[in-house]
Amino acid sequence: MTTFENDISYYMVKSLVVIAGTLGMMMSCMKIKYPLKRFIVTFAVYLIWGGFFTFFSLKLFGLVVMLQLCIPMISVPAMFILYFMSTFSPWQAIFSYTMQLSISVILAMSQTIAVTIFHGGRAMDLVIRAVSYSLCIFAEFKLLRKKFALLNYLPDKSWRTLTFVPIGFTVLFFLIGTYPVHYTKSVAAIIYIYAITAVMLLIYVIIFHSLISQYNLQLSEYTNNILTAQSESFQKQLEAINSTEEQIKILRHNMRYNIIVVSDMLTLGNNAGALEYLRSIGAKLDNAKKTFYCSNTTANAILSYYIDRAESKGIKTEVQFAMPENLSVDIIDFTAAVANALENAVNACAKVIPENQRRLRVRTTESKQYIVEIANNYTGAVSFDEEGLPVSKESGHGIGTRSISAFARKNNAVLDYDVTDKWFKLRIVLPNDGK
């Protein structure tokens, strides 16, 4: 087989292409949080190390030993570097990088076999490697990147268990490919490698299908929980409205009697008693009041539920909310999206210390478009994924944000996130068909 191990200069070039291709595959499904300049410098230093290692290990120990040392000397450092660059949780990062490494190992072996079959030289070898890695990186970026972003909801301990799958395959490929001889000198080793590759790809497909199904199920359960809370709060609102109307009926019925009592007190010169009696009537009227944020009873129920919840956590609230009658969206979907946004806002705002700095603001505006703005102050840092959606490293988070995004896509709405002066703002922009 054509390995070019006797041409150390070219083998270093080939190794750098493989290392760069593997790094590209690893980065295809992750979000880089490093500034561009820092990323380029880190990437360059790592490639210099890869060339240095290839040259001296090949010179001193030969091809097989060099390949056996690749995991601890090349792959592991790459995983550490990329982990600190990415927004992945620790075990999710290890799963992603070792999965990509196992695929890259098969790709590199296949490249060597292809060059041998076509009796290619250095130029063909370089073209095959560059093109195949480029196509693989492009395909993964298009097909897997968004799926990995969806899977941020999975707790890190779940990734810990799954990580043993790609680690096992990677170690197995290196063992078969280098022990007792290099795979290029053993037809049986090549057969074993591709048989294991078929099993590996099948298992990866099953894992991703299972994780995406679990995500969809969790999203559905989350939405159902929101709708259940919406239904319960709506029922409470109806009960409160009925109770308030009943109290007002009683007060109206007793008003004539109250006027007579106050008049008699004033006639007798009992001004203090009259004032106290009027205060007691005012207190009863205040108790009969119920805050109405919106004429739409469903939206009002959700607002009342979350505003009460916010105020119970010491959050000062400001609400100016109205809904146009001609809003052409399903009211259940709309209020579920608002509920998700309020849920996230209240949870983030409740973490602000000191407590008297907690603020939540809900506003709507109408012109050519109907805009709902939910703003809250927060603590810590906020990062966004490649879709512009806020992300969190906390386990189980992100489902609500995805639900809002799904509502926006369904209704041709625009989501605008803004982080300014420790205020986190979400604007949901909907077309107002009546304007």
Side-chain angles (χ1 to χ4, degrees):
M1 291 243 179
T2 308
T3 59
F4 304 104
E5 60 184 290
N6 295 322
D7 187 346
I8 295 181
S9 297
Y10 176 72
Y11 199 92
M12 286 179 60
V13 174
K14 183 179 80 169
S15 296
L16 290 177
V17 171
V18 172
I19 292 172
T22 305
L23 284 175
M25 290 171 61
M26 291 179 177
M27 290 186 291
S28 65
C29 297
M30 63 179 261
K31 180 178 183 295
I32 304 292
K33 62 183 180 182
Y34 271 21
L36 180 60
K37 183 177 179 181
R38 187 178 178 186
F39 165 75
I40 293 174
V41 171
T42 305
F43 191 78
V45 170
Y46 177 75
L47 287 180
I48 291 172
W49 160 248
F52 177 85
F53 166 78
T54 301
F55 177 80
F56 282 98
S57 59
L58 196 60
K59 194 83 171 174
L60 297 174
F61 307 114
L63 177 63
V64 174
V65 174
M66 185 207 74
L67 293 174
Q68 293 169 349
L69 293 174
C70 275
I71 289 182
M73 302 302 293
I74 297 293
S75 303
V76 172
M79 292 180 193
F80 274 108
I81 292 171
L82 292 178
Y83 168 67
F84 288 107
M85 285 185 175
S86 77
T87 57
F88 284 152
S89 60
W91 286 104
Q92 183 183 7
I94 295 174
F95 174 86
S96 174
Y97 304 151
T98 51
M99 182 193 76
Q100 299 287 14
L101 179 60
S102 64
I103 296 173
S104 179
V105 169
I106 292 300
L107 198 57
M109 290 179 175
S110 300
Q111 292 161 356
T112 298
I113 294 171
V115 172
T116 301
I117 291 174
F118 292 108
H119 305 288
R122 293 167 182 77
M124 178 182 287
D125 181 75
L126 192 61
V127 169
I128 287 177
R129 294 183 191 279
V131 170
S132 58
Y133 271 115
S134 298
L135 290 175
C136 188
I137 292 169
F138 178 79
E140 291 191 356
F141 184 86
K142 287 293 185 181
L143 301 176
L144 294 181
R145 187 176 179 86
K146 289 185 178 180
K147 288 183 171 57
F148 264 96
L150 291 177
L151 298 179
N152 285 334
Y153 79 93
L154 199 65
D156 200 44
K157 62 182 180 181
S158 298
W159 288 111
R160 181 175 58 194
T161 303
L162 292 172
T163 296
F164 288 103
V165 174
I167 288 177
F169 280 120
T170 302
V171 172
L172 191 58
F173 284 138
F174 269 93
L175 288 175
I176 294 176
T178 59
Y179 290 98
V181 295
H182 192 267
Y183 71 96
T184 57
K185 296 180 173 61
S186 172
V187 175
I190 295 175
I191 294 173
Y192 293 149
I193 286 170
Y194 281 108
I196 295 171
T197 298
V199 175
M200 178 188 73
L201 294 177
L202 177 62
I203 290 177
Y204 284 158
V205 169
I206 292 172
I207 288 175
F208 273 95
H209 182 269
S210 175
L211 293 178
I212 295 298
S213 297
Q214 186 178 340
Y215 166 80
N216 290 330
L217 178 61
Q218 191 164 335
L219 178 60
S220 176
E221 291 176 351
Y222 187 92
T223 303
N224 287 337
N225 290 338
I226 289 291
L227 292 176
T228 299
Q230 179 181 3
S231 176
E232 291 175 353
S233 63
F234 185 56
Q235 183 61 37
K236 290 178 182 177
Q237 281 292 106
L238 289 177
E239 293 173 358
I241 290 170
N242 292 333
S243 175
T244 299
E245 289 178 348
E246 186 63 29
Q247 293 177 50
I248 291 174
K249 286 180 182 178
I250 294 172
L251 288 171
R252 187 184 296 116
H253 180 268
N254 293 336
M255 187 58 67
R256 180 172 296 184
Y257 168 76
N258 293 330
I259 292 172
I260 293 172
V261 171
V262 172
S263 297
D264 287 344
M265 287 183 176
L266 292 174
T267 301
L268 295 173
N270 187 4
N271 295 340
L275 287 172
E276 183 61 33
Y277 192 81
L278 288 172
R279 287 194 192 97
S280 68
I281 295 174
K284 291 179 181 179
L285 286 171
D286 288 339
N287 290 334
K289 289 180 182 178
K290 187 66 181 177
T291 303
F292 289 92
Y293 301 104
C294 173
S295 59
N296 184 284
T297 53
T298 306
N300 191 70
I302 284 296
L303 287 166
S304 297
Y305 176 81
Y306 282 101
I307 295 303
D308 288 346
R309 182 173 167 184
E311 291 176 347
S312 71
K313 296 178 180 292
I315 300 172
K316 294 183 180 180
T317 62
E318 176 188 338
V319 183
Q320 297 175 352
F321 195 96
M323 281 184 62
E325 295 181 358
N326 56 1
L327 193 63
S328 59
V329 296
D330 184 89
I331 187 61
I332 300 299
D333 290 344
F334 173 72
T335 51
V338 172
N340 276 304
L342 288 171
E343 175 84 18
N344 293 341
V346 171
N347 289 339
C349 200
K351 298 176 182 178
V352 173
I353 301 296
E355 185 175 318
N356 61 8
Q357 298 296 317
R358 298 172 183 174
R359 300 286 189 277
L360 172 64
R361 187 173 67 228
V362 183
R363 294 176 179 173
T364 59
T365 57
E366 294 181 60
S367 55
K368 292 184 179 180
Q369 295 173 311
Y370 175 61
I371 303 174
V372 180
E373 180 185 270
I374 298 173
N376 61 277
N377 52 7
Y378 66 96
T379 184
V382 178
S383 58
F384 296 86
D385 63 17
E386 67 280 356
E387 298 179 41
L389 301 179
V391 296
S392 172
K393 281 196 173 184
E394 297 183 36
S395 298
H397 288 248
I399 299 295
T401 300
R402 293 287 169 185
S403 180
I404 298 170
S405 178
F407 165 80
R409 288 195 300 271
K410 178 181 177 181
N411 294 280
N412 297 319
V414 175
L415 297 182
D416 176 34
Y417 290 96
D418 179 39
V419 179
T420 307
D421 297 330
K422 285 299 179 180
W423 275 89
F424 181 91
K425 299 177 183 178
L426 163 62
R427 297 182 187 92
I428 304 175
V429 184
L430 285 161
N432 194 342
D433 296 339
K435 295 290 183 180

